Amino acid sequence: LLRFVHGQSIVQRLQVRSYIPIISSLSSTGVVSFLGGFLNPSEEGRRKPPRKDEGRRNLPRNDIIWINKNKGYELYPTCKMKDLFKTSATCQLLAKVKDSIFEGFDNLIGTKNSSNIVPNYVHFLFFGNPRISYVHSVCILAAFRNQKPERIYFHTNIKEFKGPHWIKIRDTLGSVLHFANVTLPTEIFGHKFTRPYHVYHASDVTRIRILMEYGGIFLDNDSYIVKSLDPFRRYEMTIGVTNGEYLGTQVLIAHKDARFLKLWLESYRDYQAHSFYFNAGEKPMVEIIRRKPELVHSIRYSLGVEGLTRNLYVWDTWSNWRRYYSIHLMIRHRRYMDTLWNYLQGRKSVRRKNVLQKCSFLSGANSRKQ
């Protein structure tokens, strides 16, 4: 009741009908004395009422918004209003999952008997390049070893992979490895993917569609599984949150019928081609998850998507990495972040194992300590 908008109390001279019983019960504590001046619309010397569009201009980050009505306010749950917000794009979007099988599902605690509802499939996406890098191969093998999935899917438009790392993956994974053919999309809902972000945006859309078809665990090719993600398979969908308060797309765990997947894909109808992370991470967080947080199980740190470049490539040591379930290695940023990497660029005679000393957990050198 004491939150403020532009210096004026939200309960100031408001019609707070649903809170009258609560306020009455607090009369003996003196709280009502303190709030009396705000709640009494007939009090002399009160401040000037807020602007008529105050409720629309200052929407809070939860499921309750305030609507100015007849010089007062009423409280309404989001998307149940009879005024302008009734036809808003967000309300129309949320209505698309009204009859979902997960309607009323509690993503805070998951299934009642802690049973897993997300299949133990791990998905990787490869476009264009037939050679699998050393880091990518390590992440694939880590997923095989630490997650112990029933299947590992390579979703790709590549007919044949090449190189020594591919041979190691093929021989190690055996029958667990499956292939699914995908093509690089060129548009979404009539909006063309354009440079310089075509491949990135196309892969963002493709991972949503993959999870909607199969369900399971989607990993960026440089996302390293430290320990099993099974504790999150009892939720409808689990996401990580970045330092910028956006959705982290690098590790996603979802049932194929998860409500958020459908809403996320539908949100691409408002596609911003020249913004790198708007549709993938910013828009779904601001317009969907903040309004309906119950759609997902949100993890702030344990999935390692919050941007760990300093931990990985600047700090001399980082001993807490084992506490994570997964870590996005952000390998594209290593080139300019890691002083050791930059130093060794001019020393061609240095062996590969010395380059990787700083992040020795990648090579499995600490596997016995795990």
Side-chain angles (χ1 to χ4, degrees), residues 313-355:
Y313 306 127
V314 177
W315 294 2
D316 291 332
T317 58
W318 181 33
S319 59
N320 292 334
W321 65 269
R322 292 183 180 85
R323 297 181 181 179
Y324 286 77
Y325 284 92
S326 58
I327 298 173
H328 180 222
L329 300 179
M330 305 186 75
I331 199 63
R332 291 188 298 112
H333 301 276
R334 183 178 184 181
R335 174 178 52 83
Y336 61 87
M337 292 290 293
D338 189 353
T339 53
L340 178 63
W341 174 281
N342 292 327
Y343 173 71
L344 294 177
Q345 286 299 300
R347 298 174 60 86
K348 297 182 180 180
S349 61
V350 178
R351 296 180 180 179
R352 180 187 298 273
K353 66 179 182 180
N354 292 331
V355 178

mmCIF file of all heavy atoms in Angstrom, residues 313-355:
data_model
loop_
_atom_site.group_PDB
_atom_site.id
_atom_site.type_symbol
_atom_site.label_atom_id
_atom_site.label_comp_id
_atom_site.label_asym_id
_atom_site.label_seq_id
_atom_site.Cartn_x
_atom_site.Cartn_y
_atom_site.Cartn_z
ATOM 1 N N TYR A 313 37.374 -15.322 -17.999
ATOM 2 C CA TYR A 313 38.507 -14.883 -18.799
ATOM 3 C C TYR A 313 39.325 -13.733 -18.215
ATOM 4 O O TYR A 313 40.345 -13.369 -18.788
ATOM 5 C CB TYR A 313 38.012 -14.480 -20.194
ATOM 6 C CG TYR A 313 37.217 -15.576 -20.860
ATOM 7 C CD1 TYR A 313 35.947 -15.336 -21.368
ATOM 8 C CD2 TYR A 313 37.734 -16.864 -20.953
ATOM 9 C CE1 TYR A 313 35.220 -16.352 -21.972
ATOM 10 C CE2 TYR A 313 37.015 -17.882 -21.546
ATOM 11 C CZ TYR A 313 35.759 -17.627 -22.046
ATOM 12 O OH TYR A 313 35.041 -18.631 -22.636
ATOM 13 N N VAL A 314 38.888 -13.156 -17.106
ATOM 14 C CA VAL A 314 39.632 -12.050 -16.510
ATOM 15 C C VAL A 314 40.205 -12.442 -15.154
ATOM 16 O O VAL A 314 41.377 -12.188 -14.865
ATOM 17 C CB VAL A 314 38.744 -10.789 -16.374
ATOM 18 C CG1 VAL A 314 39.513 -9.669 -15.687
ATOM 19 C CG2 VAL A 314 38.274 -10.333 -17.752
ATOM 20 N N TRP A 315 39.383 -13.052 -14.322
ATOM 21 C CA TRP A 315 39.861 -13.455 -13.002
ATOM 22 C C TRP A 315 40.962 -14.506 -13.134
ATOM 23 O O TRP A 315 40.930 -15.361 -14.019
ATOM 24 C CB TRP A 315 38.722 -14.039 -12.175
ATOM 25 C CG TRP A 315 37.656 -13.053 -11.812
ATOM 26 C CD1 TRP A 315 37.580 -11.739 -12.165
ATOM 27 C CD2 TRP A 315 36.496 -13.311 -11.032
ATOM 28 N NE1 TRP A 315 36.453 -11.162 -11.664
ATOM 29 C CE2 TRP A 315 35.759 -12.109 -10.960
ATOM 30 C CE3 TRP A 315 35.992 -14.451 -10.402
ATOM 31 C CZ2 TRP A 315 34.560 -12.001 -10.269
ATOM 32 C CZ3 TRP A 315 34.792 -14.354 -9.717
ATOM 33 C CH2 TRP A 315 34.094 -13.145 -9.638
ATOM 34 N N ASP A 316 41.925 -14.454 -12.201
ATOM 35 C CA ASP A 316 42.993 -15.451 -12.195
ATOM 36 C C ASP A 316 42.466 -16.822 -11.789
ATOM 37 O O ASP A 316 42.890 -17.844 -12.315
ATOM 38 C CB ASP A 316 44.111 -15.020 -11.238
ATOM 39 C CG ASP A 316 44.868 -13.813 -11.761
ATOM 40 O OD1 ASP A 316 44.910 -13.647 -13.002
ATOM 41 O OD2 ASP A 316 45.394 -13.044 -10.948
ATOM 42 N N THR A 317 41.562 -16.841 -10.820
ATOM 43 C CA THR A 317 40.963 -18.101 -10.387
ATOM 44 C C THR A 317 39.470 -17.906 -10.180
ATOM 45 O O THR A 317 39.009 -16.803 -9.890
ATOM 46 C CB THR A 317 41.578 -18.594 -9.056
ATOM 47 O OG1 THR A 317 41.387 -17.593 -8.043
ATOM 48 C CG2 THR A 317 43.062 -18.891 -9.217
ATOM 49 N N TRP A 318 38.738 -18.997 -10.333
ATOM 50 C CA TRP A 318 37.290 -18.989 -10.095
ATOM 51 C C TRP A 318 36.917 -20.363 -9.547
ATOM 52 O O TRP A 318 36.742 -21.316 -10.293
ATOM 53 C CB TRP A 318 36.533 -18.671 -11.379
ATOM 54 C CG TRP A 318 35.046 -18.616 -11.198
ATOM 55 C CD1 TRP A 318 34.371 -18.202 -10.104
ATOM 56 C CD2 TRP A 318 34.056 -19.003 -12.154
ATOM 57 N NE1 TRP A 318 33.011 -18.300 -10.296
ATOM 58 C CE2 TRP A 318 32.792 -18.784 -11.550
ATOM 59 C CE3 TRP A 318 34.099 -19.503 -13.451
ATOM 60 C CZ2 TRP A 318 31.605 -19.056 -12.206
ATOM 61 C CZ3 TRP A 318 32.909 -19.773 -14.102
ATOM 62 C CH2 TRP A 318 31.678 -19.539 -13.470
ATOM 63 N N SER A 319 36.804 -20.443 -8.240
ATOM 64 C CA SER A 319 36.603 -21.733 -7.590
ATOM 65 C C SER A 319 35.147 -22.132 -7.438
ATOM 66 O O SER A 319 34.851 -23.286 -7.116
ATOM 67 C CB SER A 319 37.259 -21.709 -6.194
ATOM 68 O OG SER A 319 36.699 -20.663 -5.395
ATOM 69 N N ASN A 320 34.223 -21.198 -7.676
ATOM 70 C CA ASN A 320 32.808 -21.483 -7.427
ATOM 71 C C ASN A 320 32.063 -22.024 -8.639
ATOM 72 O O ASN A 320 30.843 -22.199 -8.585
ATOM 73 C CB ASN A 320 32.098 -20.213 -6.936
ATOM 74 C CG ASN A 320 32.568 -19.787 -5.559
ATOM 75 O OD1 ASN A 320 33.021 -20.609 -4.769
ATOM 76 N ND2 ASN A 320 32.475 -18.499 -5.276
ATOM 77 N N TRP A 321 32.756 -22.310 -9.731
ATOM 78 C CA TRP A 321 32.066 -22.738 -10.936
ATOM 79 C C TRP A 321 31.329 -24.060 -10.745
ATOM 80 O O TRP A 321 30.318 -24.316 -11.401
ATOM 81 C CB TRP A 321 33.031 -22.830 -12.111
ATOM 82 C CG TRP A 321 34.110 -23.871 -11.982
ATOM 83 C CD1 TRP A 321 35.352 -23.695 -11.459
ATOM 84 C CD2 TRP A 321 34.043 -25.224 -12.412
ATOM 85 N NE1 TRP A 321 36.080 -24.850 -11.515
ATOM 86 C CE2 TRP A 321 35.291 -25.813 -12.104
ATOM 87 C CE3 TRP A 321 33.068 -26.003 -13.015
ATOM 88 C CZ2 TRP A 321 35.580 -27.144 -12.389
ATOM 89 C CZ3 TRP A 321 33.350 -27.335 -13.299
ATOM 90 C CH2 TRP A 321 34.584 -27.892 -12.990
ATOM 91 N N ARG A 322 31.800 -24.887 -9.809
ATOM 92 C CA ARG A 322 31.148 -26.181 -9.592
ATOM 93 C C ARG A 322 29.773 -26.051 -8.949
ATOM 94 O O ARG A 322 29.002 -27.008 -8.933
ATOM 95 C CB ARG A 322 32.027 -27.076 -8.725
ATOM 96 C CG ARG A 322 33.308 -27.538 -9.401
ATOM 97 C CD ARG A 322 34.097 -28.479 -8.491
ATOM 98 N NE ARG A 322 35.324 -28.924 -9.109
ATOM 99 C CZ ARG A 322 36.463 -28.243 -9.081
ATOM 100 N NH1 ARG A 322 36.503 -27.053 -8.478
ATOM 101 N NH2 ARG A 322 37.548 -28.713 -9.654
ATOM 102 N N ARG A 323 29.442 -24.895 -8.424
ATOM 103 C CA ARG A 323 28.131 -24.696 -7.812
ATOM 104 C C ARG A 323 27.030 -24.503 -8.862
ATOM 105 O O ARG A 323 25.852 -24.572 -8.539
ATOM 106 C CB ARG A 323 28.156 -23.477 -6.888
ATOM 107 C CG ARG A 323 29.122 -23.633 -5.708
ATOM 108 C CD ARG A 323 29.084 -22.405 -4.817
ATOM 109 N NE ARG A 323 30.015 -22.513 -3.700
ATOM 110 C CZ ARG A 323 30.199 -21.587 -2.773
ATOM 111 N NH1 ARG A 323 29.486 -20.455 -2.845
ATOM 112 N NH2 ARG A 323 31.065 -21.763 -1.799
ATOM 113 N N TYR A 324 27.422 -24.244 -10.083
ATOM 114 C CA TYR A 324 26.455 -24.029 -11.153
ATOM 115 C C TYR A 324 25.976 -25.363 -11.726
ATOM 116 O O TYR A 324 26.684 -26.372 -11.687
ATOM 117 C CB TYR A 324 27.084 -23.201 -12.277
ATOM 118 C CG TYR A 324 27.254 -21.743 -11.950
ATOM 119 C CD1 TYR A 324 28.278 -21.298 -11.121
ATOM 120 C CD2 TYR A 324 26.403 -20.788 -12.488
ATOM 121 C CE1 TYR A 324 28.435 -19.961 -10.822
ATOM 122 C CE2 TYR A 324 26.547 -19.442 -12.200
ATOM 123 C CZ TYR A 324 27.567 -19.036 -11.362
ATOM 124 O OH TYR A 324 27.713 -17.706 -11.066
ATOM 125 N N TYR A 325 24.782 -25.350 -12.278
ATOM 126 C CA TYR A 325 24.295 -26.500 -13.033
ATOM 127 C C TYR A 325 24.839 -26.470 -14.456
ATOM 128 O O TYR A 325 25.106 -27.511 -15.049
ATOM 129 C CB TYR A 325 22.762 -26.510 -13.072
ATOM 130 C CG TYR A 325 22.126 -26.969 -11.789
ATOM 131 C CD1 TYR A 325 21.774 -26.053 -10.803
ATOM 132 C CD2 TYR A 325 21.882 -28.320 -11.542
ATOM 133 C CE1 TYR A 325 21.201 -26.464 -9.612
ATOM 134 C CE2 TYR A 325 21.308 -28.748 -10.363
ATOM 135 C CZ TYR A 325 20.960 -27.820 -9.398
ATOM 136 O OH TYR A 325 20.399 -28.231 -8.219
ATOM 137 N N SER A 326 24.972 -25.292 -14.989
ATOM 138 C CA SER A 326 25.512 -25.123 -16.334
ATOM 139 C C SER A 326 26.191 -23.765 -16.410
ATOM 140 O O SER A 326 25.934 -22.882 -15.585
ATOM 141 C CB SER A 326 24.409 -25.238 -17.396
ATOM 142 O OG SER A 326 23.395 -24.271 -17.162
ATOM 143 N N ILE A 327 27.049 -23.600 -17.422
ATOM 144 C CA ILE A 327 27.764 -22.340 -17.607
ATOM 145 C C ILE A 327 27.826 -22.033 -19.099
ATOM 146 O O ILE A 327 28.299 -22.856 -19.893
ATOM 147 C CB ILE A 327 29.198 -22.398 -17.049
ATOM 148 C CG1 ILE A 327 29.185 -22.646 -15.539
ATOM 149 C CG2 ILE A 327 29.950 -21.107 -17.357
ATOM 150 C CD1 ILE A 327 30.563 -22.887 -14.946
ATOM 151 N N HIS A 328 27.341 -20.865 -19.455
ATOM 152 C CA HIS A 328 27.509 -20.422 -20.838
ATOM 153 C C HIS A 328 28.907 -19.826 -20.966
ATOM 154 O O HIS A 328 29.227 -18.815 -20.335
ATOM 155 C CB HIS A 328 26.449 -19.377 -21.206
ATOM 156 C CG HIS A 328 26.567 -18.897 -22.609
ATOM 157 N ND1 HIS A 328 26.434 -17.566 -22.966
ATOM 158 C CD2 HIS A 328 26.830 -19.568 -23.769
ATOM 159 C CE1 HIS A 328 26.599 -17.441 -24.262
ATOM 160 N NE2 HIS A 328 26.847 -18.630 -24.778
ATOM 161 N N LEU A 329 29.749 -20.445 -21.777
ATOM 162 C CA LEU A 329 31.166 -20.075 -21.836
ATOM 163 C C LEU A 329 31.427 -18.782 -22.599
ATOM 164 O O LEU A 329 32.529 -18.235 -22.513
ATOM 165 C CB LEU A 329 31.966 -21.207 -22.488
ATOM 166 C CG LEU A 329 31.892 -22.560 -21.757
ATOM 167 C CD1 LEU A 329 32.703 -23.601 -22.507
ATOM 168 C CD2 LEU A 329 32.384 -22.423 -20.323
ATOM 169 N N MET A 330 30.435 -18.303 -23.346
ATOM 170 C CA MET A 330 30.601 -17.046 -24.086
ATOM 171 C C MET A 330 31.913 -17.032 -24.849
ATOM 172 O O MET A 330 32.689 -16.077 -24.798
ATOM 173 C CB MET A 330 30.516 -15.861 -23.121
ATOM 174 C CG MET A 330 29.238 -15.838 -22.301
ATOM 175 S SD MET A 330 29.048 -14.369 -21.279
ATOM 176 C CE MET A 330 28.597 -13.166 -22.531
ATOM 177 N N ILE A 331 32.160 -18.114 -25.586
ATOM 178 C CA ILE A 331 33.461 -18.303 -26.217
ATOM 179 C C ILE A 331 33.763 -17.233 -27.256
ATOM 180 O O ILE A 331 34.936 -16.919 -27.519
ATOM 181 C CB ILE A 331 33.536 -19.719 -26.837
ATOM 182 C CG1 ILE A 331 34.990 -20.125 -27.083
ATOM 183 C CG2 ILE A 331 32.693 -19.819 -28.090
ATOM 184 C CD1 ILE A 331 35.815 -20.234 -25.826
ATOM 185 N N ARG A 332 32.727 -16.639 -27.854
ATOM 186 C CA ARG A 332 32.976 -15.588 -28.848
ATOM 187 C C ARG A 332 33.628 -14.356 -28.222
ATOM 188 O O ARG A 332 34.253 -13.565 -28.910
ATOM 189 C CB ARG A 332 31.672 -15.168 -29.534
ATOM 190 C CG ARG A 332 31.082 -16.224 -30.443
ATOM 191 C CD ARG A 332 29.908 -15.685 -31.250
ATOM 192 N NE ARG A 332 28.807 -15.266 -30.409
ATOM 193 C CZ ARG A 332 28.409 -14.004 -30.249
ATOM 194 N NH1 ARG A 332 29.055 -13.023 -30.853
ATOM 195 N NH2 ARG A 332 27.379 -13.708 -29.484
ATOM 196 N N HIS A 333 33.469 -14.198 -26.912
ATOM 197 C CA HIS A 333 34.012 -13.024 -26.227
ATOM 198 C C HIS A 333 35.422 -13.272 -25.680
ATOM 199 O O HIS A 333 36.055 -12.354 -25.177
ATOM 200 C CB HIS A 333 33.082 -12.610 -25.084
ATOM 201 C CG HIS A 333 31.702 -12.281 -25.533
ATOM 202 N ND1 HIS A 333 31.356 -11.045 -26.022
ATOM 203 C CD2 HIS A 333 30.578 -13.034 -25.579
ATOM 204 C CE1 HIS A 333 30.071 -11.047 -26.349
ATOM 205 N NE2 HIS A 333 29.582 -12.232 -26.095
ATOM 206 N N ARG A 334 35.886 -14.502 -25.775
ATOM 207 C CA ARG A 334 37.189 -14.810 -25.190
ATOM 208 C C ARG A 334 38.317 -14.070 -25.896
ATOM 209 O O ARG A 334 39.319 -13.701 -25.284
ATOM 210 C CB ARG A 334 37.434 -16.319 -25.266
ATOM 211 C CG ARG A 334 38.729 -16.732 -24.606
ATOM 212 C CD ARG A 334 38.936 -18.226 -24.642
ATOM 213 N NE ARG A 334 40.140 -18.566 -23.902
ATOM 214 C CZ ARG A 334 40.590 -19.798 -23.767
ATOM 215 N NH1 ARG A 334 39.935 -20.795 -24.308
ATOM 216 N NH2 ARG A 334 41.687 -20.034 -23.086
ATOM 217 N N ARG A 335 38.130 -13.856 -27.182
ATOM 218 C CA ARG A 335 39.196 -13.262 -27.998
ATOM 219 C C ARG A 335 39.700 -11.950 -27.421
ATOM 220 O O ARG A 335 40.897 -11.667 -27.468
ATOM 221 C CB ARG A 335 38.686 -13.071 -29.429
ATOM 222 C CG ARG A 335 39.623 -12.346 -30.362
ATOM 223 C CD ARG A 335 39.038 -12.264 -31.774
ATOM 224 N NE ARG A 335 37.690 -11.711 -31.750
ATOM 225 C CZ ARG A 335 37.429 -10.406 -31.718
ATOM 226 N NH1 ARG A 335 38.426 -9.542 -31.687
ATOM 227 N NH2 ARG A 335 36.180 -9.971 -31.704
ATOM 228 N N TYR A 336 38.804 -11.131 -26.894
ATOM 229 C CA TYR A 336 39.226 -9.829 -26.398
ATOM 230 C C TYR A 336 39.182 -9.716 -24.873
ATOM 231 O O TYR A 336 39.624 -8.718 -24.313
ATOM 232 C CB TYR A 336 38.370 -8.713 -27.011
ATOM 233 C CG TYR A 336 36.893 -8.792 -26.700
ATOM 234 C CD1 TYR A 336 36.369 -8.222 -25.551
ATOM 235 C CD2 TYR A 336 36.027 -9.465 -27.554
ATOM 236 C CE1 TYR A 336 35.014 -8.297 -25.268
ATOM 237 C CE2 TYR A 336 34.675 -9.549 -27.279
ATOM 238 C CZ TYR A 336 34.172 -8.956 -26.136
ATOM 239 O OH TYR A 336 32.838 -9.039 -25.847
ATOM 240 N N MET A 337 38.636 -10.747 -24.197
ATOM 241 C CA MET A 337 38.539 -10.692 -22.736
ATOM 242 C C MET A 337 39.702 -11.380 -22.031
ATOM 243 O O MET A 337 40.148 -10.941 -20.975
ATOM 244 C CB MET A 337 37.229 -11.349 -22.275
ATOM 245 C CG MET A 337 35.977 -10.604 -22.661
ATOM 246 S SD MET A 337 35.775 -9.054 -21.755
ATOM 247 C CE MET A 337 35.508 -9.657 -20.092
ATOM 248 N N ASP A 338 40.200 -12.461 -22.613
ATOM 249 C CA ASP A 338 41.182 -13.294 -21.931
ATOM 250 C C ASP A 338 42.599 -12.802 -22.232
ATOM 251 O O ASP A 338 43.081 -12.907 -23.355
ATOM 252 C CB ASP A 338 41.001 -14.743 -22.377
ATOM 253 C CG ASP A 338 41.828 -15.707 -21.552
ATOM 254 O OD1 ASP A 338 42.636 -15.243 -20.728
ATOM 255 O OD2 ASP A 338 41.652 -16.923 -21.720
ATOM 256 N N THR A 339 43.268 -12.288 -21.228
ATOM 257 C CA THR A 339 44.628 -11.780 -21.443
ATOM 258 C C THR A 339 45.589 -12.903 -21.808
ATOM 259 O O THR A 339 46.517 -12.712 -22.584
ATOM 260 C CB THR A 339 45.125 -11.063 -20.178
ATOM 261 O OG1 THR A 339 44.979 -11.940 -19.047
ATOM 262 C CG2 THR A 339 44.323 -9.805 -19.911
ATOM 263 N N LEU A 340 45.372 -14.105 -21.255
ATOM 264 C CA LEU A 340 46.228 -15.232 -21.597
ATOM 265 C C LEU A 340 46.064 -15.600 -23.063
ATOM 266 O O LEU A 340 47.030 -15.848 -23.781
ATOM 267 C CB LEU A 340 45.889 -16.441 -20.707
ATOM 268 C CG LEU A 340 46.672 -17.728 -20.987
ATOM 269 C CD1 LEU A 340 48.160 -17.494 -20.737
ATOM 270 C CD2 LEU A 340 46.161 -18.872 -20.125
ATOM 271 N N TRP A 341 44.810 -15.620 -23.519
ATOM 272 C CA TRP A 341 44.524 -15.921 -24.925
ATOM 273 C C TRP A 341 45.232 -14.918 -25.837
ATOM 274 O O TRP A 341 45.886 -15.290 -26.803
ATOM 275 C CB TRP A 341 43.013 -15.885 -25.143
ATOM 276 C CG TRP A 341 42.566 -16.026 -26.565
ATOM 277 C CD1 TRP A 341 42.547 -15.076 -27.534
ATOM 278 C CD2 TRP A 341 42.077 -17.219 -27.175
ATOM 279 N NE1 TRP A 341 42.061 -15.582 -28.708
ATOM 280 C CE2 TRP A 341 41.763 -16.889 -28.517
ATOM 281 C CE3 TRP A 341 41.847 -18.517 -26.719
ATOM 282 C CZ2 TRP A 341 41.245 -17.828 -29.402
ATOM 283 C CZ3 TRP A 341 41.326 -19.444 -27.604
ATOM 284 C CH2 TRP A 341 41.038 -19.107 -28.920
ATOM 285 N N ASN A 342 45.102 -13.647 -25.534
ATOM 286 C CA ASN A 342 45.721 -12.616 -26.372
ATOM 287 C C ASN A 342 47.238 -12.732 -26.376
ATOM 288 O O ASN A 342 47.899 -12.516 -27.398
ATOM 289 C CB ASN A 342 45.307 -11.228 -25.882
ATOM 290 C CG ASN A 342 43.825 -10.959 -26.113
ATOM 291 O OD1 ASN A 342 43.260 -11.438 -27.072
ATOM 292 N ND2 ASN A 342 43.211 -10.197 -25.216
ATOM 293 N N TYR A 343 47.802 -13.083 -25.233
ATOM 294 C CA TYR A 343 49.254 -13.217 -25.142
ATOM 295 C C TYR A 343 49.751 -14.358 -26.025
ATOM 296 O O TYR A 343 50.783 -14.252 -26.690
ATOM 297 C CB TYR A 343 49.647 -13.471 -23.692
ATOM 298 C CG TYR A 343 51.113 -13.791 -23.487
ATOM 299 C CD1 TYR A 343 52.093 -12.806 -23.631
ATOM 300 C CD2 TYR A 343 51.502 -15.089 -23.148
ATOM 301 C CE1 TYR A 343 53.433 -13.113 -23.444
ATOM 302 C CE2 TYR A 343 52.830 -15.402 -22.960
ATOM 303 C CZ TYR A 343 53.802 -14.421 -23.110
ATOM 304 O OH TYR A 343 55.112 -14.714 -22.923
ATOM 305 N N LEU A 344 48.971 -15.428 -26.054
ATOM 306 C CA LEU A 344 49.416 -16.610 -26.784
ATOM 307 C C LEU A 344 49.137 -16.530 -28.272
ATOM 308 O O LEU A 344 49.602 -17.378 -29.037
ATOM 309 C CB LEU A 344 48.736 -17.854 -26.206
ATOM 310 C CG LEU A 344 49.126 -18.205 -24.754
ATOM 311 C CD1 LEU A 344 48.335 -19.411 -24.282
ATOM 312 C CD2 LEU A 344 50.619 -18.478 -24.652
ATOM 313 N N GLN A 345 48.377 -15.529 -28.706
ATOM 314 C CA GLN A 345 48.095 -15.406 -30.134
ATOM 315 C C GLN A 345 49.371 -15.243 -30.951
ATOM 316 O O GLN A 345 49.453 -15.694 -32.084
ATOM 317 C CB GLN A 345 47.160 -14.222 -30.389
ATOM 318 C CG GLN A 345 45.727 -14.460 -29.990
ATOM 319 C CD GLN A 345 45.095 -15.610 -30.760
ATOM 320 O OE1 GLN A 345 45.000 -15.576 -31.977
ATOM 321 N NE2 GLN A 345 44.681 -16.635 -30.040
ATOM 322 N N GLY A 346 50.364 -14.597 -30.369
ATOM 323 C CA GLY A 346 51.616 -14.381 -31.085
ATOM 324 C C GLY A 346 52.654 -15.444 -30.830
ATOM 325 O O GLY A 346 53.800 -15.299 -31.252
ATOM 326 N N ARG A 347 52.306 -16.507 -30.137
ATOM 327 C CA ARG A 347 53.262 -17.568 -29.807
ATOM 328 C C ARG A 347 52.759 -18.883 -30.409
ATOM 329 O O ARG A 347 52.120 -19.688 -29.751
ATOM 330 C CB ARG A 347 53.429 -17.683 -28.302
ATOM 331 C CG ARG A 347 54.001 -16.411 -27.656
ATOM 332 C CD ARG A 347 53.998 -16.533 -26.139
ATOM 333 N NE ARG A 347 54.795 -17.653 -25.669
ATOM 334 C CZ ARG A 347 56.105 -17.606 -25.451
ATOM 335 N NH1 ARG A 347 56.759 -16.461 -25.672
ATOM 336 N NH2 ARG A 347 56.762 -18.654 -25.034
ATOM 337 N N LYS A 348 53.052 -19.087 -31.662
ATOM 338 C CA LYS A 348 52.522 -20.247 -32.378
ATOM 339 C C LYS A 348 53.068 -21.568 -31.855
ATOM 340 O O LYS A 348 52.484 -22.623 -32.088
ATOM 341 C CB LYS A 348 52.834 -20.114 -33.869
ATOM 342 C CG LYS A 348 52.167 -18.917 -34.522
ATOM 343 C CD LYS A 348 52.481 -18.863 -36.001
ATOM 344 C CE LYS A 348 51.808 -17.666 -36.650
ATOM 345 N NZ LYS A 348 52.098 -17.586 -38.109
ATOM 346 N N SER A 349 54.192 -21.513 -31.159
ATOM 347 C CA SER A 349 54.805 -22.750 -30.692
ATOM 348 C C SER A 349 54.175 -23.274 -29.402
ATOM 349 O O SER A 349 54.479 -24.378 -28.970
ATOM 350 C CB SER A 349 56.306 -22.531 -30.456
ATOM 351 O OG SER A 349 56.497 -21.533 -29.448
ATOM 352 N N VAL A 350 53.305 -22.455 -28.787
ATOM 353 C CA VAL A 350 52.684 -22.869 -27.533
ATOM 354 C C VAL A 350 51.631 -23.932 -27.811
ATOM 355 O O VAL A 350 50.814 -23.787 -28.714
ATOM 356 C CB VAL A 350 52.038 -21.664 -26.816
ATOM 357 C CG1 VAL A 350 51.358 -22.115 -25.525
ATOM 358 C CG2 VAL A 350 53.109 -20.642 -26.515
ATOM 359 N N ARG A 351 51.599 -24.965 -27.034
ATOM 360 C CA ARG A 351 50.666 -26.057 -27.267
ATOM 361 C C ARG A 351 49.256 -25.681 -26.827
ATOM 362 O O ARG A 351 49.050 -24.830 -25.975
ATOM 363 C CB ARG A 351 51.121 -27.311 -26.511
ATOM 364 C CG ARG A 351 52.455 -27.855 -26.999
ATOM 365 C CD ARG A 351 52.839 -29.089 -26.203
ATOM 366 N NE ARG A 351 54.122 -29.624 -26.672
ATOM 367 C CZ ARG A 351 54.715 -30.693 -26.136
ATOM 368 N NH1 ARG A 351 54.146 -31.312 -25.128
ATOM 369 N NH2 ARG A 351 55.868 -31.102 -26.604
ATOM 370 N N ARG A 352 48.276 -26.397 -27.390
ATOM 371 C CA ARG A 352 46.862 -26.130 -27.085
ATOM 372 C C ARG A 352 46.571 -26.295 -25.600
ATOM 373 O O ARG A 352 45.802 -25.534 -25.015
ATOM 374 C CB ARG A 352 45.967 -27.087 -27.874
ATOM 375 C CG ARG A 352 44.479 -26.869 -27.616
ATOM 376 C CD ARG A 352 43.661 -27.937 -28.275
ATOM 377 N NE ARG A 352 43.820 -27.922 -29.710
ATOM 378 C CZ ARG A 352 43.086 -27.176 -30.517
ATOM 379 N NH1 ARG A 352 42.144 -26.388 -30.027
ATOM 380 N NH2 ARG A 352 43.281 -27.207 -31.803
ATOM 381 N N LYS A 353 47.210 -27.252 -24.934
ATOM 382 C CA LYS A 353 46.882 -27.493 -23.528
ATOM 383 C C LYS A 353 47.262 -26.304 -22.651
ATOM 384 O O LYS A 353 46.632 -26.053 -21.623
ATOM 385 C CB LYS A 353 47.559 -28.752 -23.023
ATOM 386 C CG LYS A 353 49.078 -28.678 -22.962
ATOM 387 C CD LYS A 353 49.660 -29.975 -22.412
ATOM 388 C CE LYS A 353 51.181 -29.902 -22.300
ATOM 389 N NZ LYS A 353 51.748 -31.147 -21.758
ATOM 390 N N ASN A 354 48.288 -25.546 -23.048
ATOM 391 C CA ASN A 354 48.665 -24.368 -22.288
ATOM 392 C C ASN A 354 47.657 -23.245 -22.476
ATOM 393 O O ASN A 354 47.417 -22.449 -21.570
ATOM 394 C CB ASN A 354 50.059 -23.887 -22.713
ATOM 395 C CG ASN A 354 51.145 -24.860 -22.301
ATOM 396 O OD1 ASN A 354 50.982 -25.560 -21.308
ATOM 397 N ND2 ASN A 354 52.221 -24.923 -23.071
ATOM 398 N N VAL A 355 47.061 -23.173 -23.645
ATOM 399 C CA VAL A 355 46.049 -22.155 -23.904
ATOM 400 C C VAL A 355 44.855 -22.360 -22.982
ATOM 401 O O VAL A 355 44.213 -21.409 -22.541
ATOM 402 C CB VAL A 355 45.602 -22.211 -25.379
ATOM 403 C CG1 VAL A 355 44.511 -21.183 -25.650
ATOM 404 C CG2 VAL A 355 46.791 -21.976 -26.298
#
